[in-house]
Amino acid sequence: MKYRQLTKEQFESLHNEFAQFLASQSIDVKEWTTIKKEKPKVAEEEMNIFSDIVWEDVLTKTNYLEHFSETTANLFKCEDNKIHRIAIKINWDINLLEQKGFEWLMQNPMDNSVDIFMGTKNYDSDRNKEIFDLIEKGSSISKGEIFEYFNQLVT
């Protein structure tokens, strides 16, 4: 397995897609029920294959990620061959996880208490694996508005 198995909730929200996936392998509902009961390892493998397909599709379409903590923000732009990062550190008692703290940052991005660092690197290995790793470490897929806002301020 390249990534991780989807959660129960993710499988439930992708119920129709999973049914189509099974149908593409000539597995109907009755047969799937039998497989789950009598061959749980085969059922697990089918779920793993489907999970990898879903993750691969989602990760390939991912262009931006963001990760916030109380005093830092890491914003990523994921291109085909390289990833750009804007790291923001707040040097006073503010919580970016709260609406008030986030709004303060967006209104005061050039304040003396705000340090902004930028960097770009080529992917060390597989692009989608690196993006997946960032998601597993707490990053969220975003539309990139915050990245582009700070990118325009500092370039």
Side-chain angles (χ1 to χ4, degrees):
M1 175 159 215
K2 188 172 181 180
Y3 303 108
R4 70 163 164 76
Q5 192 176 93
L6 298 172
T7 64
K8 182 180 180 194
E9 293 79 16
Q10 290 168 324
F11 268 109
E12 287 171 0
S13 70
L14 294 168
H15 173 78
N16 291 337
E17 291 83 352
F18 187 57
Q20 289 174 348
F21 167 76
L22 293 174
S24 74
Q25 298 185 52
S26 302
I27 301 172
D28 61 18
V29 175
K30 185 178 175 187
E31 188 174 352
W32 178 242
T33 304
T34 303
I35 290 171
K36 286 194 302 185
K37 246 183 229 173
E38 298 174 8
K39 300 176 184 174
K41 286 189 184 211
V42 173
E44 192 77 16
E45 188 58 33
E46 291 297 330
M47 293 168 70
N48 289 345
I49 292 167
F50 179 75
S51 295
D52 275 348
I53 291 169
V54 170
W55 275 114
E56 196 67 36
D57 183 53
V58 168
L59 297 168
T60 297
K61 293 175 182 173
T62 298
N63 295 314
Y64 294 94
L65 296 170
E66 52 192 40
H67 185 272
F68 285 87
S69 71
E70 288 185 7
T71 58
T72 64
N74 284 284
L75 312 170
F76 302 94
K77 181 176 183 178
C78 310
E79 295 181 346
D80 289 342
N81 299 313
K82 59 188 167 193
I83 188 166
H84 306 277
R85 177 182 177 200
I86 298 174
I88 302 165
K89 171 116 176 74
I90 311 298
N91 297 307
W92 68 284
D93 192 22
I94 191 169
N95 187 345
L96 296 177
L97 299 175
E98 295 175 352
Q99 188 68 29
K100 185 173 139 186
F102 176 76
E103 287 174 359
W104 179 89
L105 172 63
M106 298 305 282
Q107 293 166 2
N108 302 282
M110 303 313 280
D111 189 270
N112 286 340
S113 64
V114 178
D115 292 328
I116 302 174
F117 306 96
M118 296 183 72
T120 298
K121 77 172 193 82
N122 292 327
Y123 297 106
D124 292 328
S125 58
D126 177 78
R127 175 194 184 273
N128 289 355
K129 289 279 279 183
E130 289 193 37
I131 293 170
F132 179 77
D133 188 48
L134 288 169
I135 291 170
E136 290 293 282
K137 290 177 179 171
S139 292
S140 301
I141 297 171
S142 74
K143 293 181 181 171
E145 295 102 333
I146 302 169
F147 180 96
E148 294 301 339
Y149 173 75
F150 280 95
N151 193 43
Q152 288 178 354
L153 285 176
V154 295
T155 55

